[in-house]
Amino acid sequence: MTPATIATPKKESPLLFEGMTWREFKAVEQLLDRPGYRLSFLDGILEIRRMPGEPHETVKKRIAALLELYLLMAGFDFTPTGSMTLESETVAVKREADESYKLAPGRMLPDLAIEVVFSSGGINKLDAYKRLKIKEVWFWEDGVLEVYHLRGKGNTLHYEKVSSSEEVKGIDLDLLLRCMNMVNHVEAIKTFQQALQK
């Protein structure tokens, strides 16, 4: 018998406004600084999304709980940085991951960003993270987990889709995904923990 999985609600598209300068974006950002909305910026495009609802937050927190359990048990000296604002005027980008982590002490930026996708369209998230030089990005969408690792240097930077995490070494992504998609949160954590203890 296959365990039930988390239901996926209808996808919602963000509002996009093109042709903005960084200064205009920062002015609009101050005007729209209110609960319920998340703003991103890339190449003159302002993206406005409504803050996600319960299904998104449930998946996000599940991933965080499972990943942090693994990081603790595997001996990582990590710092959860949540949805901290990552921005750079130099490369004209602002992005907030759903979850992010520094995986060793002394890091300026997170090593890992995690996106839980319940919407369609919008700015190119991988391009935004590439400019910020985030080493690895995980995308969960419709019960599937995709992992991208940053390769190259300078102008040749690009993300490559990989089958195992290079930043969270040793994590069983199949097990992680199976537990992420279980309905009961406590059961998912227990299942993951028991598997890690074997």
Side-chain angles (χ1 to χ4, degrees):
M1 186 169 118
T2 307
T5 57
I6 297 170
T8 305
K10 189 178 136 232
K11 294 192 174 185
E12 188 175 295
S13 297
L15 294 173
L16 300 174
F17 298 92
E18 298 182 25
M20 296 184 83
T21 66
W22 181 260
R23 180 180 252 166
E24 289 168 338
F25 161 64
K26 295 309 279 181
V28 170
E29 184 180 43
Q30 285 185 342
L31 289 171
L32 294 177
D33 185 18
R34 55 184 48 140
Y37 294 94
R38 180 179 282 177
L39 278 60
S40 295
F41 185 78
L42 179 67
D43 287 338
I45 301 172
L46 165 64
E47 174 189 279
I48 303 173
R49 289 186 185 274
R50 282 199 306 188
M51 287 301 279
E54 184 179 344
H56 175 280
E57 294 300 286
T58 299
V59 173
K60 174 184 116 157
K61 294 317 258 178
R62 171 80 51 81
I63 294 170
L66 295 169
L67 178 58
E68 288 171 26
L69 177 61
Y70 177 81
L71 292 171
L72 277 169
M73 292 179 76
F76 280 79
D77 186 357
F78 71 98
T79 303
T81 48
S83 58
M84 72 181 265
T85 299
L86 304 167
E87 70 178 13
S88 168
E89 182 176 0
T90 312
V91 292
V93 65
K94 177 198 177 222
R95 184 83 204 136
E96 293 173 17
D98 289 312
E99 293 289 346
S100 62
Y101 294 87
K102 294 179 183 179
L103 298 172
R107 301 279 206 250
M108 291 298 292
L109 290 170
D111 299 290
L112 172 64
I114 301 171
E115 291 281 341
V116 174
V117 181
F118 275 98
S119 58
S120 60
I123 64 171
N124 184 323
K125 294 177 185 78
L126 273 179
D127 197 23
Y129 288 124
K130 178 179 77 174
R131 293 184 194 190
L132 294 162
K133 298 182 178 158
I134 304 302
K135 293 179 191 173
E136 196 163 278
V137 183
W138 294 5
F139 286 94
W140 179 95
E141 183 174 7
D142 295 332
V144 175
L145 183 67
E146 292 184 342
V147 176
Y148 294 87
H149 196 81
L150 194 60
R151 304 270 191 238
K153 291 183 179 173
N155 291 338
T156 67
L157 280 177
H158 66 282
Y159 280 104
E160 180 183 325
K161 188 174 174 182
V162 293
S163 58
S164 60
S165 174
E166 295 180 25
E167 293 302 310
V168 186
K169 296 196 184 309
I171 193 165
D172 181 339
L173 293 177
D174 291 332
L175 170 66
L176 178 72
L177 184 62
R178 193 167 39 108
C179 293
M180 282 166 46
N181 292 330
M182 291 172 70
V183 171
N184 185 283
H185 184 74
V186 174
E187 206 54 48
I189 304 300
K190 284 181 178 174
T191 300
F192 193 66
Q193 185 173 27
Q194 285 164 3
L196 292 179
Q197 289 169 336
K198 287 181 180 173

